[in-house]
Amino acid sequence: MNLLEVTDLSVAYGAIEAVRSVSFTVAEGQIVCLIGANGAGKTTTLRTISGLLRPRAGDIRFQGKSIAKMPAHEILNRGIAHSPEGRRVFARMTVEENLLLGAYTRTDSAGISADVRRVCELFPVLGERRHQKAGLFSGGEQQMLAIGRAMMSRPKLLMLDEPSMGLSPIMTQLIFDTIRELQSQGTTILLVEQNALAALALSDHGYVVDLGSTTLDGPGHELLADERVQAAYLGQT
Ligand code: ATP
């Protein structure tokens, strides 16, 4: 079953059309990635799914219902969480306070405490430094916290924007291993990445976004072997 269906989505910033007729689906339980060059429209697509931007045309359906006109808090309540580009954690708040903010739509305090423990088990460094301010953390650690915070709403669909940005290869591997672990625990994942190689290797299905449109798609391993993808995104000819 498709959890998310994006159909002919177009989004503009005033006169600048950033997304033009993007279409893709995310089946329940899958990891799906959007890859593409800088400025292709990937971040804009995620921000529109979250309700932070409004589509100019097209539809976004989640569990069969259109969410294209819903406010962001309602979209979050329905089960879509977004870990934005650039690890926007709250620097003056502790790890734990950042995580609790991610659960602000919930009222089940026992469940919230259990999920803080779950995030700290997944990322032990967060557990060890639970009471330290997030601003003291390295880029990779802040990225873990941003993902952990998005997990705290117990999303059905977790959207991750460039989780590997600025990270060392070892840290990137750790983040990608965790994404697979989250999938095995039942979370569906929509991933935006410039690191096409790592993203396609991880994903059940991938879409290439080029100049605001989806131009090519297929299972991750097939796109990895595709000559056009290799030439454009994997630095091979
Ligand atoms: P990147 O990986 O560099 O973030 P992207 O594929 O996520 O790229 P977007 O950030 O969605 O691409 O940008 C798509 C287009 O929209 C680009 O041409 C960008 O310059 C433009 N754009 C993005 N945000 C704004 C904004 N707030 N106002 C005007 N134009 C914008």
Side-chain angles (χ1 to χ4, degrees), residues 13 16 18 36-45 85 161-162 192 194:
Y13 300 99
I16 302 169
N38 261 326
K42 306 177 301 294
T43 293
T44 303
T45 301
E85 191 175 17
D161 196 346
E162 301 271 4
V192 157
Q194 283 199 41

Side-chain angles (χ1 to χ4, degrees), residues 184-235:
S184 73
Q185 293 175 6
T187 309
T188 304
I189 295 177
L190 175 59
L191 177 67
V192 157
E193 261 298 334
Q194 283 199 41
N195 185 344
L197 184 62
L200 290 173
L202 179 75
S203 296
D204 297 296
H205 205 89
Y207 290 81
V208 176
V209 184
D210 190 20
L211 293 175
S213 305
T214 26
T215 53
L216 199 62
D217 76 281
H221 62 275
E222 280 181 21
L223 285 185
L224 268 180
D226 188 290
E227 282 177 8
R228 291 162 294 180
V229 174
Q230 291 192 353
Y233 303 106
L234 302 178

Side-chain angles (χ1 to χ4, degrees), residues 76 79-81 102-103 105-106 115 148-156:
L76 177 65
I80 301 183
T105 56
R106 295 172 57 182
D115 283 348
R149 190 180 57 195
M151 286 167 55
M152 287 299 298
S153 64
R154 285 219 184 162
K156 298 185 181 85

